[in-house]
Amino acid sequence: MLASTGKTTCTYDPRDLIDSRVFVRRCFIEHPYVHLIQHANGVWNFKEIFASANTAPPTPKDPTARGWGDYIVFDSVTTRNASFYLTLSWHPDDSLRASVRDSVIRAHLTNPAKAVFQTFDGYGRRYAWTNVHGLVSHARLADPDSDRKFGQQFVIDSLSADEYEPTFKFRNVTGDVRKLGDSVWFKVSHFDMPASTGNGSGKVWWGGENRSTRYDIAIRGDSVSLDDVNWVYPTLPRTGGGTLDLFIKNDPKNEKVVDFKLVKMDVRSTKSHITGDMSFGTGAPLLLVRNVSLRADPIDFDLIRTLNGKPFPLDWQGQLFGTVTARGGPLTHFIVDDARALFRDAHVRGAESRFSARGELDILYPAQTAFHRFFVDVASLDLRSLQAINPNFPRVGGTVSGTAVLDSSYLDVRFSNADLTHHDGPGRTIARDGQRARDVRRTSCSTTWSLEVEPLSLTTLARSYPGTAAPRSVQRTDAHHRVDSQSRDLDLAAGREWRAEL
């Protein structure tokens, strides 16, 4: 069905009809419904309904005379509970192989957020504006003196609507909209959402065989609530907010992907304060997070748990202060160019750790974060933090510094090419070229390693395990060892090996 409506009341002058003019001075429309559909062959449903004959129209007696449909203008149009749907033809990328193409189609059809469904002649993507209430003070649909050059015009005095894909609930919208051909320009001087306010302008256009709808939109969020934009990522927090500029544009390399670029972001939520820029890309098989340049001042682990959607296996508590720069990418291959942070542990008063990192992450499911050749440079790791979150961690005091390369799951930490130094008092222990695997669970800690230690300071270890007190240091020792939750006493488990090396 193309259109329907409920009770409609209009005020007009009959003399305009005699002059072949449609000029409505006041109109009230209850729950109108309009659904525009573009078929796979590019033909619109309204053109099928109002198809004209192939014969040429008769030449009017007076070429300057106005015909029906040449002039259509509405003033003061009020609508209540209107619904408007737009279905555009959708096609997967033609360059995809058959198997990949089928997977992309299946992913779009099964994900409600994609709003893609099968039609009788292919696939369509639906955009929806429902629960529409408002007053359009002037609507020019046709006017030979204006619309050929400037197009159709709609002056919005007040409008509210629920938009789907992207999902917004607009309220108290005022502005101008102009449509010419297959392009729409708009300038919104003010809009509200349930807990946000701002203004914006831009252009939306379509057309062209197998081409997506294109966007060039700039929105200033004077006050943005995260609850109003929670749809961008399912586990975004619903509390807090701030200010930002939002730019919506198609990716120049793939116009099927729409980038939501957040600029000059200043947001507070869940004991956290984040500033900087980043972008979300929708329309690809996986969410894209790119061009990240953020400052954490701080990020609390309460926010990280919220983004994760569930608790972590270990009870991390505390705050991270620092910066991250990342070219990003799909969540399964998220590239971090430079991350620097100070961690202040909430479990242990005064425990602080400093580190920097770079490399690739798989953060599709944050609770199962995986490292792909992820380089970590630890300036200082307070071992009390590890002992606080996992009672099975060896009772070794002091701090550790050094570098390592991570290449494993968060729950099965494996590192290589380690160069680590243990500090606790005047002595120190240095371990190089280590290869270590650590399997972390909620109640256990199982560790295996292969190390070259040079030197091994027993004086340093004696501060944690007095039973190891012997010579002050050993210049070189090779050890291959396993410690699990059944052998917590490191001095008994490891001391025998060290003495054997002596």
Side-chain angles (χ1 to χ4, degrees):
M1 182 170 59
L2 172 64
S4 67
T5 184
K7 183 180 178 180
T8 301
T9 304
C10 296
T11 301
Y12 61 92
D13 189 334
R15 291 174 295 182
D16 290 324
L17 300 180
I18 298 175
D19 292 336
S20 300
R21 292 165 26 114
V22 177
F23 182 22
V24 177
R25 289 168 170 78
R26 183 174 289 105
C27 189
F28 181 80
I29 309 173
E30 295 189 19
H31 49 83
Y33 168 93
V34 177
H35 189 179
L36 301 182
I37 301 174
Q38 182 190 43
H39 298 303
N41 59 5
V43 177
W44 291 87
N45 61 338
F46 66 87
K47 291 187 176 181
E48 293 177 329
I49 295 175
F50 300 106
S52 58
N54 293 327
T55 58
T59 303
K61 296 179 180 179
D62 183 359
T64 63
R66 181 184 292 115
W68 281 104
D70 289 342
Y71 187 93
I72 305 175
V73 174
F74 291 83
D75 278 342
S76 301
V77 177
T78 302
T79 185
R80 185 178 68 181
N81 195 26
S83 300
F84 177 75
Y85 296 90
L86 174 65
T87 298
L88 300 177
S89 178
W90 179 85
H91 305 274
D93 194 330
D94 294 334
S95 64
L96 298 176
R97 300 192 309 272
S99 59
V100 178
R101 185 177 184 273
D102 292 341
S103 297
V104 170
I105 292 174
R106 186 165 51 253
H108 279 73
L109 293 178
T110 56
N111 185 353
K114 302 292 186 183
V116 173
F117 59 98
Q118 191 165 8
T119 63
F120 75 94
D121 59 350
Y123 300 96
R125 183 171 184 175
R126 179 173 296 170
Y127 301 83
W129 293 263
T130 60
N131 193 31
V132 181
H133 303 265
L135 169 62
V136 178
S137 59
H138 182 76
R140 184 184 70 235
L141 300 180
D143 183 348
D145 296 330
S146 303
D147 61 356
R148 290 187 178 90
K149 183 176 180 180
F150 301 104
Q152 300 169 332
Q153 182 184 25
F154 304 87
V155 180
I156 301 172
D157 185 81
S158 177
L159 181 69
S160 65
D162 296 340
E163 179 183 8
Y164 182 74
E165 192 56 33
T167 304
F168 293 109
K169 293 184 177 181
F170 291 109
R171 303 292 183 265
N172 304 318
V173 178
T174 60
D176 294 343
V177 179
R178 183 168 61 89
K179 178 183 179 298
L180 180 61
D182 59 1
S183 301
V184 173
W185 293 262
F186 69 90
K187 184 175 182 180
V188 175
S189 56
H190 178 82
F191 71 85
D192 291 331
M193 289 190 286
S196 307
T197 184
N199 59 80
S201 61
K203 176 184 178 183
V204 180
W205 69 104
W206 56 92
E209 186 176 357
N210 296 332
R211 297 199 65 181
S212 302
T213 302
R214 278 85 77 195
Y215 303 88
D216 188 359
I217 300 173
I219 298 175
R220 169 62 183 174
D222 298 318
S223 177
V224 178
S225 168
L226 291 178
D227 191 42
D228 291 333
V229 296
N230 178 263
W231 60 271
V232 173
Y233 191 61
T235 58
L236 276 181
R238 291 185 173 274
T239 60
T243 61
L244 57 86
D245 292 340
L246 171 63
F247 297 94
I248 304 176
K249 292 187 176 183
N250 300 76
D251 187 327
K253 297 181 180 179
N254 181 5
E255 65 182 21
K256 296 181 183 296
V257 174
V258 180
D259 275 329
F260 295 80
K261 187 175 182 180
L262 309 181
V263 179
K264 299 179 182 178
M265 180 171 54
D266 189 337
V267 176
R268 296 177 184 269
S269 176
T270 324
K271 305 178 187 177
S272 303
H273 181 205
I274 302 174
T275 58
D277 306 335
M278 65 186 303
S279 68
F280 295 90
T282 63
L286 292 174
L287 178 69
L288 304 174
V289 180
R290 299 181 289 188
N291 304 317
V292 177
S293 178
L294 298 177
R295 174 175 292 277
D297 192 24
I299 288 180
D300 193 277
F301 262 93
D302 283 355
L303 174 60
I304 299 175
R305 271 187 294 275
T306 301
L307 294 172
N308 183 47
K310 60 181 180 181
F312 287 101
L314 299 176
D315 183 31
W316 290 92
Q317 297 286 346
Q319 296 180 325
L320 290 164
F321 297 79
T323 61
V324 58
T325 302
R327 75 193 77 171
L331 295 183
T332 52
H333 299 280
F334 185 85
I335 299 176
V336 177
D337 296 299
D338 183 68
R340 301 173 183 272
L342 162 67
F343 172 58
R344 291 178 178 168
D345 188 5
H347 285 301
V348 182
R349 183 183 295 274
E352 293 187 349
S353 300
R354 297 177 180 272
F355 65 90
S356 62
R358 67 178 187 274
E360 185 178 293
L361 297 171
D362 179 348
I363 54 175
L364 181 62
Y365 303 104
Q368 302 173 20
T369 295
F371 305 99
H372 300 161
R373 298 293 298 169
F374 197 73
F375 180 84
V376 179
D377 187 345
V378 180
S380 176
L381 171 62
D382 195 315
L383 296 177
R384 293 177 297 171
S385 295
L386 300 181
Q387 295 159 2
I389 64 173
N390 194 325
N392 297 316
F393 196 87
R395 304 286 98 183
V396 180
T399 63
V400 169
S401 63
T403 61
V405 178
L406 305 182
D407 201 349
S408 63
S409 165
Y410 165 79
L411 296 176
D412 185 17
V413 179
R414 300 176 185 274
F415 64 74
S416 60
N417 300 322
D419 189 347
L420 306 175
T421 302
H422 173 223
H423 308 265
D424 191 9
R428 62 177 184 169
T429 296
I430 302 176
R432 292 189 175 89
D433 300 324
Q435 294 182 342
R436 174 177 176 179
R438 179 170 179 239
D439 185 23
V440 180
R441 296 293 183 263
R442 187 178 297 275
T443 59
S444 67
C445 175
S446 176
T447 307
T448 63
W449 66 74
S450 176
L451 298 174
E452 178 183 295
V453 184
E454 185 178 355
L456 171 64
S457 173
L458 298 182
T459 302
T460 300
L461 291 175
R463 297 176 65 88
S464 302
Y465 299 97
T468 62
R472 292 187 178 182
S473 68
V474 178
Q475 291 303 310
R476 180 184 180 90
T477 180
D478 298 319
H480 179 76
H481 187 59
R482 176 180 178 85
V483 176
D484 56 29
S485 58
Q486 303 302 317
S487 55
R488 300 184 183 180
D489 297 329
L490 185 61
D491 57 333
L492 296 178
R496 288 190 295 270
E497 283 199 58
W498 294 329
R499 294 189 183 100
E501 293 295 331
L502 293 175

